[in-house]
Amino acid sequence: MKTVQIIEPGKIEIREAEMPQLKEGEALLKILYCGICGADVASFTGNQPFTTYPRIPGHEFSAEIAQIGENDRGLKVGDIVTANPYFNCGDCYSCRRGLVNACTDNRTMGVQRDGSFAEYVAMPIERIYPGKGLSAKELALIEPFSIGYHALSRAEVKEGDNVLIMGSGPIGLFALISAKQKGAKVAIADLLDNRLALAKEYGADMVINTGKEDLSAKSAEFTDGNGFDVCVEACGLPVTFLSCIEQAAFGANIILIGNGKKDTTFCHSILLKKELNVFGSRNSYGKDFLALIDMVAEGKVDVLKMVSGVYEMDNAIEAFKALANNKGDLAKLLVKIG
């Protein structure tokens, strides 16, 4: 079968690989669409702190069940599905407490284990979720949606909260959608007007171009000078984390989604002074996938507006390079595998 492989940072190729061999309890999935995550791009550029090489990237995908045994999930050959790509050990302290997304030996597809940029993958049946009539393109967007959705659950965002999101890439946009679904008022900040325009389409109450506008002044305007109840860092950069601390209200919550490799230096006394709660957010739960499949199936969110383009598998390398050099005109790219 054909696969896309990152051989080492900066080097990506389409290579042949052996078909997966099914183990007991697994199904064979024929991959239909893969989304390129920011983590995949970071793996390509060498900026993903958890990736090992060589690596088949990809963990945002839809698939058709090509082979499956008897199961109590009602899944059958021909079903269009998506799946949970975060493999947990089941034995560590985190797993024993139900925190499977924060498994100490977590192996996410495309990062610590080979991913979905392949014509076929083997997947434990328990990790497969039926598509409930969603298109294959929509199902490929459920995983990145789940990242923002899970993150917003960390701080229990509620109706009427003022929320600031730093970064309007796909993960920031999905966090925006999740916050709006909870009834929050949302301001979103970025340097790129194209991304902010899409944020407006998804219901942002205020967009702030931090290259042209004063973030503190706009924040004061939005919150009547009180600061934000919740700040979401969706870039993985020191400057955006520090901005969250600065713009947070006293007693506010900060949620970190962005993943990066740069150190951040600050005086931690500001956290004490404001009595801030800082939450890390990693991966998501199966229940998040199920909730979002239902949400999209009910027509509450049009996730396809997020898609800036679709590439054929033979052109996947060009798609990776396009995102690595993205100037802000691209949101989510999908690659058609099968």
Side-chain angles (χ1 to χ4, degrees):
M1 64 175 182
K2 286 194 296 188
T3 66
V4 177
Q5 296 189 30
I6 302 173
I7 310 306
E8 60 188 34
K11 184 178 181 181
I12 185 169
E13 298 178 356
I14 295 177
R15 289 190 173 186
E16 295 289 321
E18 296 292 327
M19 285 284 291
Q21 299 298 310
L22 295 187
K23 300 175 183 176
E24 185 176 352
E26 291 185 335
L28 183 66
L29 300 185
K30 179 182 179 182
I31 301 297
L32 299 177
Y33 285 92
C34 280
I36 302 177
C37 176
D40 296 321
V41 177
S43 294
F44 172 47
T45 59
N47 292 311
Q48 223 295 352
F50 304 131
T51 302
T52 56
Y53 302 91
R55 181 63 61 217
I56 297 173
H59 51 263
E60 310 172 356
F61 64 92
S62 59
E64 178 183 347
I65 297 178
Q67 183 180 333
I68 193 170
E70 291 187 12
N71 64 89
D72 59 4
R73 306 280 305 285
L75 297 168
K76 62 186 184 303
V77 170
D79 284 352
I80 307 302
V81 299
T82 188
N84 185 328
Y86 325 119
F87 284 72
N88 61 294
C89 71
D91 297 320
C92 71
Y93 187 45
S94 296
C95 287
R96 295 199 307 271
R97 291 181 294 152
L99 305 174
V100 295
N101 62 313
C103 170
T104 58
D105 191 33
N106 172 77
R107 295 181 178 274
T108 297
M109 291 175 64
V111 182
Q112 296 96 345
R113 62 183 290 155
D114 283 337
S116 54
F117 271 90
E119 291 182 299
Y120 292 88
V121 300
M123 181 64 62
I125 294 173
E126 64 185 15
R127 293 182 167 275
I128 300 172
Y129 306 124
K132 295 190 175 182
L134 297 189
S135 70
K137 290 181 181 178
E138 289 172 318
L139 283 171
L141 296 168
I142 294 298
E143 190 280 336
F145 197 170
S146 77
I147 300 300
Y149 184 82
H150 172 73
L152 269 291
S153 72
R154 296 282 287 130
E156 299 181 351
V157 174
K158 59 187 182 298
E159 185 173 358
D161 277 351
N162 287 321
V163 176
L164 172 66
I165 299 173
M166 296 298 300
S168 60
I171 297 302
L173 291 174
F174 279 126
L176 160 66
I177 296 168
S178 301
K180 293 299 295 182
Q181 288 289 324
K182 294 176 181 291
K185 291 176 58 184
V186 184
I188 189 164
D190 205 302
L191 291 167
L192 303 170
D193 285 327
N194 289 338
R195 287 184 173 180
L196 292 173
L198 188 53
K200 277 189 175 180
E201 290 187 40
Y202 275 120
D205 298 284
M206 176 184 280
V207 297
I208 306 166
N209 185 318
T210 52
K212 303 174 182 177
E213 301 172 286
D214 183 271
L215 178 60
S216 293
K218 299 298 288 187
S219 296
E221 174 187 337
F222 192 84
T223 67
D224 293 327
N226 296 317
F228 286 91
D229 303 299
V230 179
C231 294
V232 181
E233 199 293 310
C235 297
L237 297 173
V239 64
T240 45
F241 175 46
L242 295 177
S243 291
C244 285
I245 294 174
E246 183 178 355
Q247 305 309 327
F250 281 63
N253 296 319
I254 295 174
I255 308 171
L256 306 179
I257 315 176
N259 195 4
K261 296 176 73 173
K262 295 182 178 179
D263 293 336
T264 303
T265 300
F266 67 100
C267 179
H268 73 270
S269 293
I270 188 63
L271 302 182
L272 283 65
K273 178 182 178 181
K274 285 189 168 184
E275 197 175 59
L276 298 176
N277 304 302
V278 181
F279 295 86
S281 182
R282 188 178 189 187
N283 301 335
S284 59
Y285 292 122
K287 65 181 181 181
D288 299 321
F289 281 77
L290 296 174
L292 294 175
I293 289 171
D294 285 340
M295 187 185 297
V296 178
E298 291 166 5
K300 295 180 178 178
V301 179
D302 179 8
V303 293
L304 292 179
K305 286 194 297 185
M306 197 80 68
V307 179
S308 298
V310 179
Y311 287 68
E312 296 294 326
M313 187 177 187
D314 288 341
N315 297 321
I317 295 172
E318 285 71 21
F320 273 80
K321 290 180 178 179
L323 285 176
N325 296 287
N326 187 15
K327 303 302 182 184
D329 55 332
L330 301 176
K332 178 62 65 179
L333 293 183
L334 296 179
V335 176
K336 184 179 180 183
I337 305 294

